[in-house]
Amino acid sequence: MISTSPDSNRWFVCPQMRPEAETRLFLFPYAGGGPTVFNQWVPELPDDVEPRIVHYPGRGSRHREASITQITALAENLSQAIPPLLDKPFVFFGHSLGALIAFELTRQLRQQNFPQPQILFISACGAPHLPDPHSPIHTLSDGDFLASLQELNGIPAALLHQSEVMQVLLPILRADFQAMETYTYVRAESPLPCPILAFGGLDDPRLSRERLEGWALHTSSGFKSQYFAGDHFFINTARTSVIASIAAELTSSYAKY
């Protein structure tokens, strides 16, 4: 087995070591999120799946590091840190911002001739070649920026009244939204060789079915979409159902795609 490097430990948090696991599940948080956003997932994952949560700079134990405001730069950094963890079959699951990072990382791995994920799970994110109909928000005033985030149901109401917490969180959120809103898709020579499964919320105010299902153009190995009750953050409110769907895909034959 390949040993894990210190750089891998910095970028990928393992909340529960499962050395006998058959599959490694990399979880990519949404904007403003750190590794803790997937804490409740860990005990509900199958025993034969080892979770690795991506830890972006600028938050948590990496709060002294500058946030990265370009998705391609994040993917490049991750592509340098992840190789020691590619010693067994793996899948990517990215939500919103995390989906774009997971997608670009998959492309980076292909360019560098590293293994590809068995499945790329895309969650609450429009296909990269389709324009986002919503106006950018990362340059808005604090008040307007927070109002826009509230429309997404992206910040717990209790946090909004904790000024010290919000002073820390706002720069992180701005950086993450800047990464999403300035991202430019560069067309690849061919679609990805791994299957893509796209998850969406039935009541997501920011994402149409057309934009979610546009991901079908980015794989040559099969595409499926699945929708869950909830808004943009259905992965919290419908967590058990989402995890069950991931587990079902991992235990079934990939040849069905």
Side-chain angles (χ1 to χ4, degrees):
M1 178 179 291
I2 303 173
S3 62
T4 303
S5 70
D7 204 40
S8 294
N9 290 331
R10 184 164 61 98
W11 283 93
F12 301 98
V13 173
C14 185
Q16 188 175 94
M17 294 293 292
R18 298 177 180 177
E20 304 304 319
E22 298 178 2
T23 304
R24 193 164 277 142
L25 169 62
F26 291 93
L27 298 163
F28 296 73
Y30 44 79
T36 59
V37 302
F38 287 111
N39 275 356
Q40 291 182 294
W41 283 48
V42 176
E44 297 184 25
L45 290 170
D47 291 338
D48 61 351
V49 175
E50 182 184 79
R52 295 276 178 157
I53 308 175
V54 180
H55 193 178
Y56 310 138
R59 66 213 70 198
S61 62
R62 303 187 67 183
H63 68 278
R64 295 186 184 278
E65 301 176 46
S67 297
I68 297 178
T69 57
Q70 292 184 323
I71 285 174
T72 51
L74 270 167
E76 288 171 6
N77 278 274
L78 289 166
S79 72
Q80 296 171 22
I82 201 173
L85 300 175
L86 304 183
D87 57 329
K88 63 175 61 181
F90 64 96
V91 298
F92 287 166
F93 177 94
H95 186 81
S96 196
L97 167 69
L100 287 177
I101 297 171
F103 171 65
E104 284 294 338
L105 176 56
T106 303
R107 299 173 85 194
Q108 288 276 343
L109 293 177
R110 178 170 67 171
Q111 291 172 12
Q112 299 173 32
N113 295 315
F114 283 114
Q116 293 279 280
Q118 299 281 358
I119 305 174
L120 174 58
F121 289 96
I122 295 294
S123 179
C125 181
H129 66 284
L130 297 176
D132 186 344
H134 300 91
S135 299
I137 66 172
H138 73 273
T139 58
L140 296 176
S141 67
D142 286 354
D144 290 340
F145 183 61
L146 284 172
S148 296
L149 291 175
Q150 283 181 276
E151 291 178 6
L152 282 176
N153 196 23
I155 299 181
L159 288 184
L160 291 173
H161 302 293
Q162 299 180 33
S163 59
E164 292 184 1
V165 173
M166 292 309 303
Q167 286 178 5
V168 173
L169 191 57
L170 270 176
I172 297 170
L173 285 162
R174 283 192 186 279
D176 288 355
F177 270 84
Q178 181 179 346
M180 284 192 294
E181 294 171 348
T182 60
Y183 168 73
T184 300
Y185 168 67
V186 178
R187 187 175 299 277
E189 293 182 1
S190 60
L192 292 172
C194 59
I196 294 178
L197 202 163
F199 290 166
L202 289 170
D203 299 311
D204 189 337
R206 289 186 63 89
L207 184 61
S208 67
R209 291 199 176 204
E210 177 186 10
R211 290 182 62 225
L212 183 71
E213 296 182 9
W215 282 100
L217 294 180
H218 296 277
T219 173
S220 59
S221 297
F223 171 83
K224 293 198 307 185
S225 61
Q226 187 173 352
Y227 294 88
F228 299 85
D231 56 22
H232 192 69
F233 288 93
F234 64 88
I235 62 165
N236 296 329
T237 54
R239 181 184 69 251
T240 300
S241 296
V242 172
I243 292 173
S245 292
I246 293 173
E249 294 298 328
L250 295 181
T251 56
S252 63
S253 170
Y254 298 131
K256 71 181 182 180
Y257 282 89

